[in-house]
Short mmCIF file of all heavy atoms in Angstrom, two decimals:
data_model
loop_
_atom_site.label_atom_id
_atom_site.label_comp_id
_atom_site.label_asym_id
_atom_site.label_seq_id
_atom_site.Cartn_x
_atom_site.Cartn_y
_atom_site.Cartn_z
N ILE A 1369 -0.72 9.20 1.02
CA ILE A 1369 0.00 8.06 1.57
C ILE A 1369 1.47 8.15 1.16
O ILE A 1369 1.80 8.27 -0.01
CB ILE A 1369 -0.59 6.72 1.07
CG1 ILE A 1369 -2.06 6.58 1.45
CG2 ILE A 1369 0.24 5.54 1.58
CD1 ILE A 1369 -2.34 6.55 2.94
N ASN A 1370 2.33 8.14 2.15
CA ASN A 1370 3.78 8.13 1.95
C ASN A 1370 4.31 6.89 2.65
O ASN A 1370 4.06 6.69 3.84
CB ASN A 1370 4.43 9.38 2.53
CG ASN A 1370 4.01 10.62 1.78
OD1 ASN A 1370 4.34 10.79 0.62
ND2 ASN A 1370 3.24 11.48 2.44
N LEU A 1371 5.03 6.07 1.90
CA LEU A 1371 5.51 4.81 2.46
C LEU A 1371 6.75 4.41 1.69
O LEU A 1371 6.83 4.59 0.48
CB LEU A 1371 4.42 3.75 2.28
CG LEU A 1371 4.75 2.30 2.58
CD1 LEU A 1371 4.99 2.11 4.07
CD2 LEU A 1371 3.62 1.40 2.10
N GLU A 1372 7.74 3.89 2.41
CA GLU A 1372 8.90 3.33 1.74
C GLU A 1372 9.23 1.99 2.38
O GLU A 1372 9.33 1.87 3.60
CB GLU A 1372 10.11 4.26 1.83
CG GLU A 1372 11.30 3.71 1.06
CD GLU A 1372 12.44 4.69 0.94
OE1 GLU A 1372 12.49 5.67 1.69
OE2 GLU A 1372 13.29 4.46 0.06
N ILE A 1373 9.37 1.00 1.52
CA ILE A 1373 9.76 -0.34 1.96
C ILE A 1373 11.13 -0.59 1.36
O ILE A 1373 11.30 -0.59 0.14
CB ILE A 1373 8.76 -1.41 1.48
CG1 ILE A 1373 7.34 -1.07 1.94
CG2 ILE A 1373 9.19 -2.79 1.99
CD1 ILE A 1373 6.27 -1.91 1.29
N LYS A 1374 12.11 -0.78 2.22
CA LYS A 1374 13.48 -1.00 1.76
C LYS A 1374 13.81 -2.49 1.77
O LYS A 1374 13.14 -3.28 2.44
CB LYS A 1374 14.46 -0.24 2.65
CG LYS A 1374 14.32 1.26 2.54
CD LYS A 1374 15.31 1.96 3.41
CE LYS A 1374 15.14 3.47 3.29
NZ LYS A 1374 16.07 4.20 4.13
N LYS A 1375 14.84 -2.82 1.04
CA LYS A 1375 15.32 -4.20 0.96
C LYS A 1375 15.45 -4.79 2.36
O LYS A 1375 16.00 -4.16 3.26
CB LYS A 1375 16.67 -4.22 0.25
CG LYS A 1375 17.30 -5.57 0.15
CD LYS A 1375 18.64 -5.49 -0.56
CE LYS A 1375 19.32 -6.83 -0.57
NZ LYS A 1375 20.57 -6.77 -1.32
N GLY A 1376 14.89 -5.97 2.53
CA GLY A 1376 15.00 -6.67 3.80
C GLY A 1376 13.93 -6.34 4.82
O GLY A 1376 13.82 -7.01 5.84
N GLN A 1377 13.14 -5.32 4.57
CA GLN A 1377 12.10 -4.94 5.52
C GLN A 1377 10.83 -5.76 5.31
O GLN A 1377 10.53 -6.17 4.19
CB GLN A 1377 11.71 -3.47 5.36
CG GLN A 1377 12.69 -2.50 5.92
CD GLN A 1377 12.17 -1.07 5.84
OE1 GLN A 1377 11.58 -0.68 4.84
NE2 GLN A 1377 12.39 -0.30 6.87
N SER A 1378 10.13 -5.97 6.38
CA SER A 1378 8.80 -6.56 6.33
C SER A 1378 7.86 -5.55 6.96
O SER A 1378 8.23 -4.86 7.92
CB SER A 1378 8.74 -7.85 7.15
OG SER A 1378 9.57 -8.82 6.58
N ILE A 1379 6.68 -5.44 6.41
CA ILE A 1379 5.71 -4.52 6.98
C ILE A 1379 4.40 -5.25 7.21
O ILE A 1379 4.14 -6.29 6.60
CB ILE A 1379 5.47 -3.29 6.08
CG1 ILE A 1379 4.80 -3.69 4.76
CG2 ILE A 1379 6.75 -2.53 5.84
CD1 ILE A 1379 4.17 -2.54 4.03
N GLY A 1380 3.60 -4.69 8.07
CA GLY A 1380 2.23 -5.16 8.27
C GLY A 1380 1.30 -3.99 7.99
O GLY A 1380 1.64 -2.84 8.26
N ILE A 1381 0.18 -4.30 7.41
CA ILE A 1381 -0.82 -3.26 7.12
C ILE A 1381 -2.03 -3.58 7.97
O ILE A 1381 -2.68 -4.61 7.76
CB ILE A 1381 -1.17 -3.22 5.62
CG1 ILE A 1381 0.09 -2.92 4.81
CG2 ILE A 1381 -2.25 -2.18 5.35
CD1 ILE A 1381 -0.08 -3.05 3.32
N ILE A 1382 -2.31 -2.72 8.94
CA ILE A 1382 -3.41 -2.97 9.85
C ILE A 1382 -4.36 -1.78 9.84
O ILE A 1382 -3.97 -0.67 9.47
CB ILE A 1382 -2.92 -3.24 11.30
CG1 ILE A 1382 -2.12 -2.04 11.83
CG2 ILE A 1382 -2.08 -4.51 11.35
CD1 ILE A 1382 -1.77 -2.14 13.29
N GLY A 1383 -5.57 -2.03 10.23
CA GLY A 1383 -6.56 -0.96 10.31
C GLY A 1383 -7.96 -1.53 10.38
O GLY A 1383 -8.18 -2.72 10.15
N ALA A 1384 -8.88 -0.67 10.68
CA ALA A 1384 -10.27 -1.08 10.80
C ALA A 1384 -10.83 -1.48 9.44
O ALA A 1384 -10.30 -1.10 8.39
CB ALA A 1384 -11.09 0.07 11.38
N SER A 1385 -11.90 -2.23 9.46
CA SER A 1385 -12.57 -2.61 8.23
C SER A 1385 -12.98 -1.35 7.47
O SER A 1385 -13.51 -0.40 8.05
CB SER A 1385 -13.81 -3.45 8.57
OG SER A 1385 -14.48 -3.82 7.41
N GLY A 1386 -12.68 -1.31 6.17
CA GLY A 1386 -13.04 -0.15 5.37
C GLY A 1386 -12.03 0.98 5.40
O GLY A 1386 -12.26 2.04 4.84
N SER A 1387 -10.88 0.77 6.06
CA SER A 1387 -9.90 1.84 6.20
C SER A 1387 -8.97 1.96 5.00
O SER A 1387 -8.16 2.89 4.94
CB SER A 1387 -9.08 1.65 7.48
OG SER A 1387 -8.34 0.45 7.42
N GLY A 1388 -9.04 1.03 4.04
CA GLY A 1388 -8.24 1.14 2.82
C GLY A 1388 -7.08 0.18 2.72
O GLY A 1388 -6.23 0.33 1.84
N LYS A 1389 -7.02 -0.83 3.59
CA LYS A 1389 -5.89 -1.78 3.56
C LYS A 1389 -5.81 -2.51 2.22
O LYS A 1389 -4.75 -2.56 1.60
CB LYS A 1389 -6.03 -2.81 4.69
CG LYS A 1389 -6.05 -2.23 6.09
CD LYS A 1389 -6.20 -3.30 7.15
CE LYS A 1389 -7.47 -4.10 7.05
NZ LYS A 1389 -8.70 -3.40 7.34
N THR A 1390 -6.91 -3.06 1.78
CA THR A 1390 -6.92 -3.80 0.51
C THR A 1390 -6.66 -2.87 -0.66
O THR A 1390 -5.93 -3.22 -1.59
CB THR A 1390 -8.27 -4.53 0.33
OG1 THR A 1390 -8.45 -5.43 1.43
CG2 THR A 1390 -8.31 -5.31 -0.97
N THR A 1391 -7.19 -1.66 -0.61
CA THR A 1391 -6.94 -0.68 -1.67
C THR A 1391 -5.45 -0.37 -1.73
O THR A 1391 -4.87 -0.31 -2.82
CB THR A 1391 -7.75 0.61 -1.41
OG1 THR A 1391 -9.14 0.27 -1.35
CG2 THR A 1391 -7.50 1.65 -2.49
N LEU A 1392 -4.81 -0.20 -0.59
CA LEU A 1392 -3.37 0.07 -0.55
C LEU A 1392 -2.59 -1.09 -1.16
O LEU A 1392 -1.69 -0.88 -1.99
CB LEU A 1392 -2.92 0.34 0.88
CG LEU A 1392 -1.43 0.58 1.08
CD1 LEU A 1392 -0.96 1.80 0.29
CD2 LEU A 1392 -1.12 0.74 2.57
N VAL A 1393 -2.94 -2.30 -0.79
CA VAL A 1393 -2.25 -3.47 -1.35
C VAL A 1393 -2.47 -3.54 -2.86
O VAL A 1393 -1.53 -3.82 -3.62
CB VAL A 1393 -2.71 -4.76 -0.64
CG1 VAL A 1393 -2.20 -6.00 -1.38
CG2 VAL A 1393 -2.23 -4.78 0.81
N ASP A 1394 -3.68 -3.28 -3.31
CA ASP A 1394 -3.97 -3.31 -4.75
C ASP A 1394 -3.16 -2.24 -5.50
O ASP A 1394 -2.73 -2.46 -6.63
CB ASP A 1394 -5.46 -3.12 -5.00
CG ASP A 1394 -6.27 -4.36 -4.65
OD1 ASP A 1394 -5.67 -5.44 -4.43
OD2 ASP A 1394 -7.51 -4.27 -4.60
N LEU A 1395 -2.93 -1.10 -4.89
CA LEU A 1395 -2.09 -0.06 -5.49
C LEU A 1395 -0.63 -0.54 -5.56
O LEU A 1395 0.03 -0.38 -6.59
CB LEU A 1395 -2.17 1.24 -4.70
CG LEU A 1395 -3.43 2.07 -4.89
CD1 LEU A 1395 -3.59 3.08 -3.75
CD2 LEU A 1395 -3.42 2.77 -6.23
N ILE A 1396 -0.15 -1.12 -4.47
CA ILE A 1396 1.23 -1.62 -4.43
C ILE A 1396 1.42 -2.72 -5.47
O ILE A 1396 2.46 -2.79 -6.13
CB ILE A 1396 1.59 -2.12 -3.01
CG1 ILE A 1396 1.71 -0.92 -2.06
CG2 ILE A 1396 2.86 -2.95 -3.02
CD1 ILE A 1396 1.84 -1.29 -0.60
N LEU A 1397 0.43 -3.55 -5.66
CA LEU A 1397 0.52 -4.63 -6.64
C LEU A 1397 0.40 -4.12 -8.07
O LEU A 1397 0.70 -4.83 -9.02
CB LEU A 1397 -0.56 -5.68 -6.39
CG LEU A 1397 -0.40 -6.51 -5.13
CD1 LEU A 1397 -1.62 -7.39 -4.90
CD2 LEU A 1397 0.87 -7.36 -5.20
N GLY A 1398 -0.06 -2.89 -8.23
CA GLY A 1398 -0.24 -2.33 -9.56
C GLY A 1398 -1.58 -2.70 -10.18
O GLY A 1398 -1.80 -2.51 -11.37
N LEU A 1399 -2.49 -3.20 -9.37
CA LEU A 1399 -3.83 -3.56 -9.85
C LEU A 1399 -4.71 -2.32 -9.97
O LEU A 1399 -5.65 -2.30 -10.75
CB LEU A 1399 -4.48 -4.59 -8.92
CG LEU A 1399 -3.71 -5.90 -8.76
CD1 LEU A 1399 -4.37 -6.77 -7.71
CD2 LEU A 1399 -3.62 -6.63 -10.09
N LEU A 1400 -4.40 -1.31 -9.18
CA LEU A 1400 -5.08 -0.02 -9.25
C LEU A 1400 -4.03 1.05 -9.50
O LEU A 1400 -2.87 0.89 -9.12
CB LEU A 1400 -5.81 0.29 -7.93
CG LEU A 1400 -6.94 -0.64 -7.50
CD1 LEU A 1400 -7.42 -0.28 -6.11
CD2 LEU A 1400 -8.07 -0.61 -8.50
N LYS A 1401 -4.46 2.14 -10.11
CA LYS A 1401 -3.56 3.26 -10.37
C LYS A 1401 -3.96 4.42 -9.46
O LYS A 1401 -5.15 4.73 -9.35
CB LYS A 1401 -3.64 3.70 -11.82
CG LYS A 1401 -3.17 2.66 -12.79
CD LYS A 1401 -3.34 3.14 -14.22
CE LYS A 1401 -2.95 2.05 -15.18
NZ LYS A 1401 -3.17 2.42 -16.57
N PRO A 1402 -2.99 5.07 -8.84
CA PRO A 1402 -3.34 6.21 -7.99
C PRO A 1402 -3.94 7.35 -8.81
O PRO A 1402 -3.58 7.54 -9.97
CB PRO A 1402 -2.01 6.63 -7.37
CG PRO A 1402 -0.95 5.95 -8.13
CD PRO A 1402 -1.55 4.83 -8.89
N LYS A 1403 -4.87 8.08 -8.21
CA LYS A 1403 -5.44 9.26 -8.88
C LYS A 1403 -4.43 10.40 -8.85
O LYS A 1403 -4.39 11.23 -9.74
CB LYS A 1403 -6.74 9.69 -8.21
CG LYS A 1403 -7.83 8.63 -8.25
CD LYS A 1403 -8.19 8.24 -9.66
CE LYS A 1403 -9.23 7.14 -9.65
NZ LYS A 1403 -9.41 6.48 -10.92
N LYS A 1404 -3.64 10.44 -7.79
CA LYS A 1404 -2.57 11.43 -7.64
C LYS A 1404 -1.42 10.77 -6.92
O LYS A 1404 -1.59 9.81 -6.20
CB LYS A 1404 -3.06 12.65 -6.86
CG LYS A 1404 -4.13 13.44 -7.57
CD LYS A 1404 -4.45 14.72 -6.86
CE LYS A 1404 -5.53 15.44 -7.68
NZ LYS A 1404 -5.91 16.70 -7.10
#
């Protein structure tokens, strides 16, 4: 996953159920740590 959010940007995270949206948000929040 490669992603950059710059000042002033808004993003939406969309995808099918089970596609990793919540996992991605949890990584961004620092609740989970990436394996790599």
